[in-house]
Amino acid sequence: MKKFFKRLFAGMAIGVGAAIPGVSGAAVALIFRIYEDLINAVNSFRKHIKESFIVLLPILLGIIIAVIPCIYLFSLAFEHLMFVLISMFVGFLVGSLPSVTDEIKGLKPNKKYVIIFVIAIIFVALMGVGSVFLGPQINLDAQFNEMPIWLYFVLIPVGVLAAVALSVPGLSGSLILLVIGFYRPLVDHARLWAGDIVKAGDWSNFGKLIGMIGCFAIGCIIGVVIISKLMRMLLDKHHDSTYVAIAGFIVGSIFALYFNFEIYNYYLNWAGVSHVGADINPIMPIYIEIPLGIAITALAAFGSYQIVRYQRKLKVEQSTNE
């Protein structure tokens, strides 16, 4: 039961991370030290169904429990308090980075590892930069309003891409969705149609909502299975190189969080410049939100690092007992 609730809580944290562009749900899994358990359970599901189910069930429940309110809250926060929200998650990433570097502690840097680390940083950072340039050119809102048949089929491979967040630490599936223009339409229409049902009793878009979520979820499941097998192979055969790349992905994500299509529009709003995209209405002036964001970054980093320290202590105690 203790393990169940630990995995449930970890799953909720993974769901929160997976919902935010720039934050990797798999990186969160690393922080809670369930990443390799998750990968192993997915890869051995056919051979050890019962054991894998026991591991995966609380994690999946936690993800579902967290993602549903996150869709609503983050949609509002992105509109009114985006810089503060982004700063909080940057703090979490900074504070938790030692949990990743612990896996390669004592590794002597060489040319190979430096190149892998730099390429990983640039790759993720370019996703954020790419979203700034591509975002205004990709507008799927009109298509989601109508939900033609072809869009349901497109959502399956889109879900496969989103599964990256659950399988590769440091890579954000939701940031990828942001770059290709699917993040806002998915979040906004899920909130809109669910709100119509709950608040107004209007079920006219229920079929669209279930179809959209269902096709996206199918893609996520396919993606997790495929990418998990790839990550298992990489961890088995190239453990150190893989964790060096993961560290680079996380560092690059910090940049991508502060420079992507959504936050760029937020900056433009501060500057009084017109922008393309969803409604953005900051409730704080720049001279208040930036200092507040910096303070929250520091607090989040401190809190996240305390979790890492606690996990290190537990690991030492377990090693001693063994």
Side-chain angles (χ1 to χ4, degrees):
M1 188 60 66
K2 183 179 179 181
K3 286 184 177 180
F4 179 90
F5 282 104
K6 177 184 176 182
R7 289 168 179 161
L8 179 70
F9 181 73
M12 293 173 66
I14 292 169
V16 172
I20 302 196
V23 177
S24 166
V28 177
L30 268 178
I31 295 169
F32 285 88
R33 297 193 182 277
I34 66 164
Y35 176 68
E36 295 203 23
D37 289 342
L38 179 61
I39 294 295
N40 289 332
V42 171
N43 282 298
S44 62
F45 191 83
R46 292 177 63 184
K47 294 181 179 179
H48 306 285
I49 296 178
K50 181 179 179 181
E51 292 82 356
S52 297
F53 184 77
I54 291 173
V55 172
L56 293 174
L57 178 62
I59 296 174
L60 292 175
L61 285 175
I63 291 173
I64 293 170
I65 291 170
V67 165
I68 292 173
C70 281
I71 288 175
Y72 182 79
L73 293 175
F74 291 157
S75 181
L76 292 178
F78 263 75
E79 182 178 346
H80 301 296
L81 285 167
M82 190 184 301
F83 188 81
V84 169
L85 181 71
I86 293 298
S87 296
M88 180 176 67
F89 284 97
V90 166
F92 287 146
L93 284 177
V94 170
S96 63
L97 186 57
S99 68
V100 178
T101 56
D102 281 350
E103 299 290 338
I104 48 176
K105 191 173 182 179
L107 182 69
K108 294 181 179 180
N110 57 35
K111 186 177 180 180
K112 171 187 172 183
Y113 293 138
V114 171
I115 291 174
I116 291 173
F117 183 69
V118 172
I119 289 176
I121 293 175
I122 294 173
F123 178 75
V124 181
L126 284 178
M127 285 201 299
V129 175
S131 71
V132 173
F133 292 102
L134 296 177
Q137 302 175 30
I138 305 173
N139 186 354
L140 292 169
D141 281 337
Q143 299 296 336
F144 271 81
N145 286 332
E146 298 299 326
M147 286 302 294
I149 295 296
W150 63 264
L151 187 54
Y152 291 106
F153 290 101
V154 169
L155 284 173
I156 295 176
V158 168
V160 173
L161 291 176
V164 170
L166 300 175
S167 305
V168 184
L171 277 182
S172 168
S174 35
L175 183 60
I176 294 174
L177 295 184
L178 195 73
V179 172
I180 63 177
F182 277 84
Y183 181 79
R184 272 292 190 168
L186 279 167
V187 170
D188 289 346
H189 284 80
R191 189 184 82 167
L192 175 65
W193 293 335
D196 288 342
I197 295 171
V198 174
K199 296 177 182 178
D202 181 1
W203 291 77
S204 60
N205 291 312
F206 178 73
K208 293 180 182 178
L209 177 63
I210 295 300
M212 180 183 74
I213 294 175
C215 290
F216 183 74
I218 290 171
C220 285
I221 293 170
I222 295 172
V224 166
V225 172
I226 295 173
I227 299 171
S228 293
K229 290 183 180 297
L230 175 63
M231 287 304 297
R232 181 69 272 161
M233 181 189 70
L234 290 173
L235 287 172
D236 287 340
K237 297 183 178 181
H238 308 283
H239 180 275
D240 292 342
S241 296
T242 301
Y243 272 102
V244 168
I246 288 170
F249 289 149
I250 293 176
V251 172
S253 291
I254 294 172
F255 174 84
L257 274 167
Y258 278 127
F259 195 80
N260 59 64
F261 175 61
E262 297 293 345
I263 193 70
Y264 181 70
N265 283 337
Y266 203 73
Y267 298 150
L268 291 180
N269 188 283
W270 273 342
V273 180
S274 60
H275 55 82
V276 178
D279 291 336
I280 295 175
N281 301 294
I283 61 174
M284 294 181 183
I286 185 172
Y287 59 83
I288 292 179
E289 189 166 359
I290 287 182
L292 180 60
I294 293 172
I296 287 178
T297 299
L299 288 172
F302 177 78
S304 183
Y305 183 63
Q306 297 312 304
I307 295 175
V308 173
R309 290 183 62 188
Y310 178 70
Q311 289 172 335
R312 286 172 175 168
K313 181 180 177 182
L314 287 179
K315 191 174 183 180
V316 171
E317 291 176 352
Q318 289 174 356
S319 299
T320 302
N321 291 335
E322 291 175 358

